[in-house]
Amino acid sequence: HLLLVQAWWKTDPIDCFAFSEVGWFLSVIMFLYLLSIPLRKAALKIIDSCERGSSKLSVRSLFLMIFAASLILLVAYCLLLRDADTEFWEYAFPPARIFEYIAGMSLGVVLGTVRDAGRDEKGIQPESSVKSPSVLYTVLEIVAPVLWIAFLFLPLPEWGFRIVNWLIPVVFTLVVYTPGRGYISALFRMKPFVYLGGISFAFYLIHSMILNAWKACVTPDALGTVLGCAFAFVLCFAVSVLAASILTRRHG
């Protein structure tokens, strides 16, 4: 799992070298961290070129074009593999996420230029320019999770399901929540929600181990009961809090 070879090599057509959902996720993250080095350098050169005036396009316009092109390539990739039996590989094989990652970076630049507009040289936004939460943004922030739920039940083929089920809701959610203009996003900036956001990654990293350990200790259908699911959730949450408090402890 330290080498994360399961994301790069299969022992046979239906089995991985070592199955671990979290290991798969970490392998993608590690690959993208390495990939981010040349991508960030290229992005900084593009931004510098635009700011010097050597490009006819603004930073926002150029990265919007890169964002759109990446999404088109992502859709083309899904179409090419629509008849292939990829199982989890379409999700877990690191190079398969390149177009999504580039699209995400580009969207981050675009949203960052919108969010940082009006800030001074130190990155501080004057109080007079800070706008109060908007009802329109609040409605959109409520629509975002509803969209997630609605798309889960769309009758789509697997390749289409991958695009529509999560890509559209993710992009919509990022665009709506990043400006922080709604009452819901203002609520999420409260300390309890910030704390829950901070431990959410720890929750994810251990949830599979907790569930597998729980299934090994009880009857096979234990997780199918409300009490079994509740116990596993509470146990996972408690261990997440403990792990996050140890790993994120601040000194000095």
Side-chain angles (χ1 to χ4, degrees), residues 42-60:
L44 290 172
K45 286 184 178 180
I46 292 172
I47 293 172
D48 184 57
S49 174
C50 290
E51 290 178 344
R52 286 200 318 251
S54 54
S55 172
K56 295 181 180 180
L57 294 171
S58 66
V59 172
R60 190 184 306 175

Side-chain angles (χ1 to χ4, degrees), residues 3-190:
L3 295 175
L4 300 168
V5 293
Q6 66 165 357
W8 298 89
W9 177 63
K10 279 191 172 186
T11 53
D12 62 61
I14 62 171
D15 232 349
C16 291
F17 179 76
F19 182 79
S20 168
E21 304 96 323
V22 173
W24 256 337
F25 178 78
L26 292 178
S27 70
V28 175
I29 292 296
M30 290 178 66
F31 175 79
L32 294 179
Y33 269 131
L34 294 175
L35 182 66
S36 71
I37 297 173
L39 287 179
R40 285 175 61 86
K41 287 184 177 180
L44 290 172
K45 286 184 178 180
I46 292 172
I47 293 172
D48 184 57
S49 174
C50 290
E51 290 178 344
R52 286 200 318 251
S54 54
S55 172
K56 295 181 180 180
L57 294 171
S58 66
V59 172
R60 190 184 306 175
S61 300
L62 194 54
F63 278 91
L64 271 175
M65 293 173 61
I66 296 173
F67 170 72
S70 301
L71 290 187
I72 292 170
L73 290 171
L74 171 60
V75 173
Y77 169 80
C78 293
L79 281 170
L80 288 172
L81 294 181
R82 65 184 181 277
D83 296 322
D85 184 16
T86 57
E87 300 174 9
F88 289 103
W89 280 68
E90 203 167 329
Y91 299 89
F93 187 50
R97 316 309 294 261
I98 291 177
F99 297 136
E100 302 159 23
Y101 190 62
I102 294 175
M105 289 185 71
S106 303
L107 184 61
V109 173
V110 173
L111 294 176
T113 58
V114 174
R115 182 189 57 199
D116 296 337
R119 295 179 184 269
D120 59 21
E121 295 180 354
K122 296 181 179 179
I124 300 173
Q125 193 165 7
E127 292 185 8
S128 58
S129 65
V130 177
K131 298 179 181 179
S132 59
S134 162
V135 174
L136 174 60
Y137 271 94
T138 303
V139 172
L140 293 175
E141 289 173 354
I142 294 172
V143 169
V146 173
L147 196 67
W148 276 95
I149 297 170
F151 279 19
L152 284 173
F153 296 98
L154 290 178
L156 296 167
E158 184 175 351
W159 68 271
F161 186 78
R162 180 184 179 220
I163 299 170
V164 177
N165 173 249
W166 68 267
L167 182 62
I168 294 176
V170 162
V171 173
F172 181 76
T173 302
L174 286 173
V175 170
V176 168
Y177 273 89
T178 298
R181 292 284 309 281
Y183 286 96
I184 306 298
S185 55
L187 181 69
F188 286 159
R189 289 194 291 271
M190 295 175 64

Side-chain angles (χ1 to χ4, degrees), residues 164-241:
V164 177
N165 173 249
W166 68 267
L167 182 62
I168 294 176
V170 162
V171 173
F172 181 76
T173 302
L174 286 173
V175 170
V176 168
Y177 273 89
T178 298
R181 292 284 309 281
Y183 286 96
I184 306 298
S185 55
L187 181 69
F188 286 159
R189 289 194 291 271
M190 295 175 64
K191 286 185 178 180
F193 288 102
V194 172
Y195 176 73
L196 290 176
I199 69 168
S200 62
F201 188 62
F203 195 110
Y204 174 77
L205 290 178
I206 67 166
H207 83 280
S208 183
M209 292 176 281
I210 295 292
L211 294 177
N212 289 335
W214 173 237
K215 286 190 288 187
C217 296
V218 297
T219 57
D221 59 346
L223 277 177
T225 65
V226 174
L227 183 61
C229 289
F231 179 82
F233 179 85
V234 171
L235 180 60
C236 191
F237 184 81
V239 179
S240 294
V241 172

